[in-house]
Amino acid sequence: MQLTKEQFIRDFKDTLHEEQLVKVPAATPSELFTTLAKLIRKYYTSTWLDRNHALSDNKQKIAYYFSIEFLPGRMLETNLLNLGILDLVKEGFADLDVDFEAVKTAEHDMALGNGGLGRLAAAFMDSLATTGYPGFGNGLRYKYGLFKQRIVDGYQVELPDSWFGSIGNVWEVRKDHDIVQVKLFGNAYLQPNEEGKLVPVYDGAQVLNAVPYDVPQIGFENGVINNLRLWDVEIPEEYELNYPTIDALRTVRDITSTLYPDDSNFEGKQLRLVQEYFMTSAGLQTIIKSYLKQGLPLEQIHEKVSVHINDTHPAVAPAEFMRLLVDEYGLNWDAAWNATVQTMSYTNHTILSEALEKWDASLFKHVLPRVYQIVLEIDNRFVAEMANKGVDPAVIENTRIVKDDQIHMANLAIIGGHSVNGVAKLHTELLKEDTLHDFYTLYPEKFNNKTNGIVQRRWTQISAPELSKAIDETIGKEWRKDIHELRKLNDFVDDKAVLENFYQVKQEAKARLAAFIKESTGVEVSTEAIFDVQVKRLHAYKRQLLNVMHIVKLYNDLKDNPDKDMVPRVFIFGAKAAPGYHFAKSVIKIINELANLINNDESLQGKLKVVFLENYRVSLAEIIIPAADVSEQISLASKEASGTSNMKFMMTGAITLATLDGANIEIKDEVGDENIIIFGMDKDEVYRHYATHDYYSRGIYESNPVIRRVVDSFVNGTIPNIQNEGMEIYEALITHNDEYFLLEDFPAYVEAQERIDALYRDRQTWSRMALRNIANSDKFTSDDTITEYAEEIWKLKK
Ligand code: 26Q
């Protein structure tokens, strides 16, 4: 956009005076932030308005991305960058003597997501706008985002994330004219109408208002602004009298009160189902209304609309769409079904069976009586059609939607849509071969892969400014617009001066992180040490415990031999555990107690440090990731669908230490075997153990003295204050036969860590590996991922 620094400074002062009645030197960071946000809203408003009009006027096909989570983090800097005025604003602030960093920090992370899935949804919003495809987000406006994590006595404590704070969400706009009503509970039955035809009646329902708030999604320097629409719940005025008690009111408000903090374990809670239906129904109703304004026939809605189901959380969509088309708009079943299947598409994000959504039929019927009938009808027709085709009854039983008195949401999403995708090559292969194999035999054409991506602008230009400058100096600035230009860095892997420059850049990022660690934990770390980082949700399959076991081994080594020759290491963790996930919380406690033990043991001569950074979130990732030397991606092969932090680390020049899982495999393909450290079992070896039931962790424990000593240290007092937690770990590893094969992979992991130690000593080799990683990371831009979704699944035009 056209703006001079001088104009910006005038506008900024005017807005500050008008809105806050304060002058620049006296204003707080929070006042300055609000003012800046309001000002840039003014700058982009007309573009946003025009975009919304242009889309409906041109009758373009639009994709709607339905997701129960969106995790954008802070938006100020991205918005400025994408509007093309980030540098100008920073310079203007410098002239005004305002600390931009302090102002940016006043923005609370928008954390309406747990982790990878929510962050991916936010990345896709950015990339849809940046690539210029018409794509809107549809989700929930939670009052409280993912809980805030505090560590007290080494334990995780959860606090509410009141992200609206005193300033609210400065970016959103409430859209009263788009309010729709959503109905829950009540009774659904068939009744003859005047002509004697049986028609569905749905009465006694609770009626709620779904109120949309739109958050702009600004494309990178292209004048495009899309919407992320988040729904809030309100009670319609005419029904207010039906809510005589505070409790009755609260149950309604609960719908958009909090995000469920589990990311890998399904629990059939009624409120969750209500959340899922609420946002799905509201979104679909709006879509149909705005489509009909174009005067086109509903039977062809799929030509103008795509609805994407992000994991199964919005998977009630095909049934609700059928209800709307058939009951509310009078389409016949077959026409409605054809339109539905061609409209819907679905992404699977996990193969863990405990994460799959299955609702008790009785609960589903109670909450959504009419949708339940429609699900039964879809199921019946599916079974009949397959039987007709002569499909093996066992396959039908395995793929149908309603069985064992449960509604299988993934099955509904697959049957009710035209596309199913996994999120990395291996993951999609596993879906086809194993998890969804029967579906694959029925509908091979529906299956496709879309390897995840990340918003490169946030992870380089915004979070790694020194690195970005070094890239500019090496290959020019074009890469900031076209990330594929990064490949030119491959020409410099033997240029000693360039390698040294990139090495120094990493040291600067490490110094920033070291200062942050000192300030937030009091622990002093040296930037001469290897910064070895594992940041992600805490889950047994991600194997943070394997990392811990290795640290214990190093500790034991150093206690035996204080002169052990090793490059100093700082192990850095960040992880939230689901509040009800006992094992995960125990691992957090153990990491913290181990950190206490190690960081205070002077005999280790600073060779070993362990840091747990509390409240891991997007804005913390922006400080941690650019400072990593080693990226720990050590999930049990086959369990991590893709991973996305692995891509962020790669892009900022960390060396990946990984199993052959998820997108790690594709990282390896890009950088070559010599620029990544791979260890451990692959997916075939894991599956072989499952097939032959031959794994016996106690056998390993008894025969390997190093492992035995590590495992024993959880229960013999070596690590203080972990009596219960240590026993829990011991039992998981030995008594319960080590579900994620840590003991089997441990020797290979130790050996891989030793390779890291050796490689890091050779500064030039290490820097060359790092540069190769940066140079080939363009493969994981979400701009390209979304282009594949847009072209191959949604069939959109720019
Ligand atoms: C389901 C039902 C009830 C309550 C919560 C949930 C729930 C919520 C969130 C289930 C799963 C999630 C999130 C899953 C997730 O983040 N999966 C990750 O998705 C990333 C993006 O595709 C992948 O990179 C990761 O590998 C995958 O673990």
Side-chain angles (χ1 to χ4, degrees):
M1 62 175 285
Q2 298 298 348
L3 182 71
T4 63
K5 185 178 72 178
E6 290 67 32
Q7 182 64 42
F8 165 70
I9 291 176
R10 273 196 302 277
D11 291 349
F12 185 78
K13 282 185 178 166
D14 287 350
T15 317
L16 183 68
H17 300 163
E18 277 167 33
E19 300 273 345
Q20 312 280 348
L21 213 66
V22 65
K23 291 198 162 185
V24 172
T28 64
S30 167
E31 287 168 329
L32 294 165
F33 164 71
T34 313
T35 303
L36 180 56
K38 287 195 171 149
L39 176 58
I40 63 182
R41 265 180 71 154
K42 236 182 265 172
Y43 289 155
Y44 66 62
T45 295
S46 65
T47 319
W48 195 11
L49 204 60
D50 292 348
R51 169 75 167 171
N52 283 305
H53 279 279
L55 287 179
S56 52
D57 292 353
N58 295 342
K59 304 191 173 173
Q60 281 209 52
K61 185 168 186 184
I62 302 178
Y64 296 87
Y65 196 84
F66 279 43
S67 179
I68 202 129
E69 306 194 351
F70 286 93
L71 180 45
R74 291 185 181 133
M75 299 212 281
L76 175 69
E77 249 181 317
T78 334
N79 285 350
L80 290 171
L81 179 80
N82 290 3
L83 289 169
I85 56 173
L86 179 58
D87 289 340
L88 180 150
V89 165
K90 283 186 176 171
E91 287 157 22
F93 270 17
D95 286 7
L96 289 168
D97 212 13
V98 171
D99 177 5
F100 181 81
E101 286 299 307
V103 173
K104 123 183 176 193
T105 316
E107 179 176 15
H108 202 301
D109 276 37
M110 185 171 172
L112 311 186
N114 272 287
L117 168 146
R119 181 58 217 155
L120 185 77
F124 283 176
M125 289 298 105
D126 185 315
S127 286
L128 274 168
T130 293
T131 51
Y133 286 109
F136 290 0
N138 189 76
L140 284 175
R141 181 176 178 266
Y142 301 103
K143 188 163 173 209
Y144 299 98
L146 184 62
F147 66 85
K148 188 156 82 184
Q149 180 194 53
R150 287 281 164 264
I151 301 297
V152 179
D153 283 341
Y155 291 107
Q156 165 174 299
V157 175
E158 301 99 28
L159 301 172
D161 168 52
S162 329
W163 70 289
F164 289 138
S166 51
I167 43 182
N169 177 6
V170 289
W171 310 110
E172 70 184 10
V173 177
R174 181 183 164 111
K175 292 273 183 67
D176 271 303
H177 58 276
D178 284 343
I179 291 176
V180 294
Q181 297 201 319
V182 174
K183 293 184 187 169
L184 303 161
F185 309 106
N187 304 299
Y189 48 91
L190 294 173
Q191 205 176 50
N193 65 5
E194 299 93 72
E195 295 133 42
K197 193 179 152 209
L198 284 179
V199 292
V201 179
Y202 179 20
D203 64 20
Q206 177 183 39
V207 183
L208 299 170
N209 273 352
V211 183
Y213 289 76
D214 285 355
V215 184
Q217 303 297 309
I218 304 175
F220 178 68
E221 295 187 350
N222 66 354
V224 170
I225 305 185
N226 292 337
N227 288 345
L228 166 57
R229 174 158 285 191
L230 301 176
W231 295 98
D232 202 352
V233 66
E234 286 178 12
I235 294 164
E237 245 173 68
E238 62 269 36
Y239 295 99
E240 265 171 2
L241 287 175
N242 296 351
Y243 296 88
T245 64
I246 298 273
D247 276 353
L249 284 174
R250 189 173 295 141
T251 41
V252 170
R253 288 206 200 105
D254 274 351
I255 297 176
T256 54
S257 164
T258 37
L259 164 80
Y260 271 88
D262 303 76
D263 71 335
S264 48
N265 192 41
F266 173 68
E267 262 190 284
K269 293 266 168 58
Q270 176 171 308
L271 177 60
R272 173 74 175 191
L273 179 60
V274 170
Q275 289 187 329
E276 296 182 353
Y277 179 71
F278 184 78
M279 70 150 209
T280 305
S281 177
L284 292 177
Q285 290 185 51
T286 321
I287 289 170
I288 295 177
K289 280 191 185 164
S290 77
Y291 170 77
L292 286 176
K293 281 195 195 133
Q294 305 180 19
L296 298 168
L298 258 187
E299 291 82 343
Q300 277 145 33
I301 187 166
H302 52 277
E303 289 172 13
K304 298 290 174 199
V305 168
S306 279
V307 170
H308 199 79
I309 301 172
N310 192 32
D311 216 279
T312 53
H313 320 135
V316 68
E320 171 65 2
F321 205 54
M322 285 299 288
R323 188 190 68 80
L324 291 165
L325 295 179
V326 174
D327 289 3
E328 312 262 330
Y329 291 96
L331 251 59
N332 71 48
W333 184 279
D334 290 335
W337 183 246
N338 176 55
T340 298
V341 171
Q342 296 199 59
T343 299
M344 304 284 157
S345 49
Y346 155 66
T347 298
N348 175 290
H349 294 266
T350 186
I351 61 166
L352 299 182
S353 52
E354 66 268 28
L356 293 182
E357 283 194 296
K358 288 174 269 191
W359 292 102
D360 284 342
S362 56
L363 172 68
F364 197 95
K365 184 178 175 193
H366 171 64
V367 178
L368 309 171
R370 178 60 188 150
V371 179
Y372 176 69
Q373 293 177 341
I374 291 183
V375 169
L376 292 186
E377 184 68 23
I378 296 173
D379 182 59
N380 278 332
R381 288 175 182 244
F382 170 76
V383 171
E385 183 196 335
M386 292 301 144
N388 225 335
K389 284 189 185 159
V391 172
D392 175 356
V395 170
I396 301 180
E397 195 51 30
N398 200 19
T399 50
R400 66 183 296 179
I401 301 161
V402 188
K403 60 183 162 184
D404 311 326
D405 278 327
Q406 292 191 308
I407 317 284
H408 294 247
M409 299 309 280
N411 300 10
L412 177 56
I414 298 167
I415 294 167
H418 65 280
S419 172
V420 185
N421 74 279
V423 290
K425 276 186 195 161
L426 176 71
H427 172 57
T428 302
E429 285 314 308
L430 287 168
L431 292 179
K432 292 202 255 185
E433 275 169 23
D434 187 46
T435 324
L436 300 177
H437 178 71
D438 283 345
F439 276 116
Y440 183 57
T441 62
L442 299 180
Y443 309 118
E445 72 289 348
K446 290 192 187 185
F447 284 76
N448 62 95
N449 176 246
K450 297 283 169 283
T451 298
N452 284 166
I454 58 171
V455 181
Q456 72 271 17
R457 294 168 289 279
R458 179 178 291 262
W459 302 103
T460 55
Q461 299 186 56
I462 290 176
S463 78
E466 300 94 349
L467 172 66
S468 300
K469 201 166 132 262
I471 300 173
D472 289 347
E473 289 160 6
T474 315
I475 57 169
K477 290 189 168 188
E478 210 33 45
W479 70 277
R480 289 175 182 255
K481 290 199 182 71
D482 174 8
I483 194 73
H484 302 299
E485 288 282 308
L486 278 185
R487 296 256 162 186
K488 289 188 175 160
L489 289 172
N490 281 309
D491 299 340
F492 296 88
V493 292
D494 293 315
D495 184 323
K496 285 187 189 156
V498 167
L499 292 180
E500 182 58 23
N501 193 21
F502 278 86
Y503 181 86
Q504 291 308 335
V505 158
K506 180 64 82 180
Q507 291 306 106
E508 283 173 52
K510 285 167 75 173
R512 255 191 299 142
L513 178 57
F516 180 85
I517 290 173
K518 173 81 181 134
E519 188 190 301
S520 54
T521 67
V523 176
E524 260 181 76
V525 300
S526 159
T527 55
E528 295 305 309
I530 298 175
F531 280 23
D532 185 323
V533 182
Q534 189 172 19
V535 283
K536 48 185 80 254
R537 284 299 288 258
L538 214 138
H539 197 290
Y541 84 78
K542 295 177 188 279
R543 302 200 295 188
Q544 279 94 351
L545 189 56
L546 182 60
N547 190 340
V548 169
M549 286 175 62
H550 171 243
I551 299 171
V552 172
K553 178 197 177 274
L554 288 180
Y555 173 77
N556 290 339
D557 290 352
L558 283 168
K559 289 313 264 185
D560 292 351
N561 172 18
D563 296 328
K564 176 183 162 88
D565 182 23
M566 64 175 274
V567 182
R569 281 270 187 138
V570 182
F571 291 94
I572 297 163
F573 292 89
K576 287 181 181 175
Y581 191 173
H582 201 274
F583 173 89
K585 292 179 124 173
S586 294
V587 174
I588 290 179
K589 169 71 170 168
I590 288 173
I591 295 172
N592 282 306
E593 291 301 337
L594 185 61
N596 262 339
L597 173 71
I598 287 177
N599 299 341
N600 296 313
D601 186 335
E602 293 198 349
S603 78
L604 305 178
Q605 306 165 46
K607 285 179 181 168
L608 205 52
K609 290 279 162 82
V610 179
V611 177
F612 186 98
L613 291 173
E614 67 184 0
N615 204 27
Y616 182 63
R617 62 197 185 283
V618 176
S619 57
L620 185 53
E622 289 170 12
I623 302 172
I624 297 175
I625 290 176
D629 294 308
V630 175
S631 157
E632 299 265 359
Q633 308 299 338
I634 60 178
S635 53
L636 175 66
S638 79
K639 296 291 181 244
E640 190 69 272
S642 161
T644 41
S645 74
N646 46 2
M647 301 166 184
K648 298 163 196 167
F649 282 107
M650 174 196 195
M651 199 168 272
T652 46
I655 306 304
T656 310
L657 169 55
T659 49
L660 287 173
D661 199 15
N664 302 342
I665 297 174
E666 288 157 82
I667 291 179
K668 170 177 149 310
D669 291 345
E670 291 305 310
V671 299
D673 294 356
E674 62 293 0
N675 296 306
I676 186 169
I677 309 293
I678 298 291
F679 75 96
M681 283 189 275
D682 64 15
K683 147 260 174 190
D684 290 329
E685 291 166 290
V686 172
Y687 272 53
R688 213 171 297 137
H689 277 310
Y690 292 149
T692 56
H693 302 283
D694 62 346
Y695 187 65
Y696 183 53
S697 65
R698 188 181 292 275
I700 302 178
Y701 167 77
E702 281 170 355
S703 63
N704 182 324
V706 176
I707 288 181
R708 186 175 186 132
R709 183 164 172 205
V710 168
V711 173
D712 284 349
S713 62
F714 293 121
V715 283
N716 67 9
T718 307
I719 310 169
N721 307 322
I722 58 156
Q723 265 201 345
N724 296 333
E725 295 79 13
M727 187 48 84
E728 188 178 355
I729 298 309
Y730 180 91
E731 285 179 351
L733 292 176
I734 309 303
T735 320
H736 301 303
N737 204 27
D738 186 18
E739 189 179 351
Y740 296 101
F741 305 104
L742 279 72
L743 267 47
E744 171 142 354
D745 272 349
F746 184 76
Y749 181 59
V750 169
E751 190 269 329
Q753 286 285 19
E754 282 163 359
R755 264 188 284 160
I756 296 258
D757 181 279
L759 283 165
Y760 194 81
R761 290 166 197 248
D762 180 350
R763 185 147 152 177
Q764 205 171 306
T765 303
W766 186 270
S767 302
R768 188 182 299 120
M769 290 172 73
L771 192 58
R772 280 270 187 225
N773 273 270
I774 301 168
N776 297 294
S777 64
D778 64 320
K779 150 100 180 167
F780 300 105
T781 166
S782 52
D783 296 348
D784 287 355
T785 311
I786 212 65
T787 301
E788 289 177 21
Y789 275 87
E791 290 177 356
E792 295 165 22
I793 301 178
W794 307 325
K795 311 272 192 288
L796 301 184
K797 295 201 176 59
K798 283 193 189 173

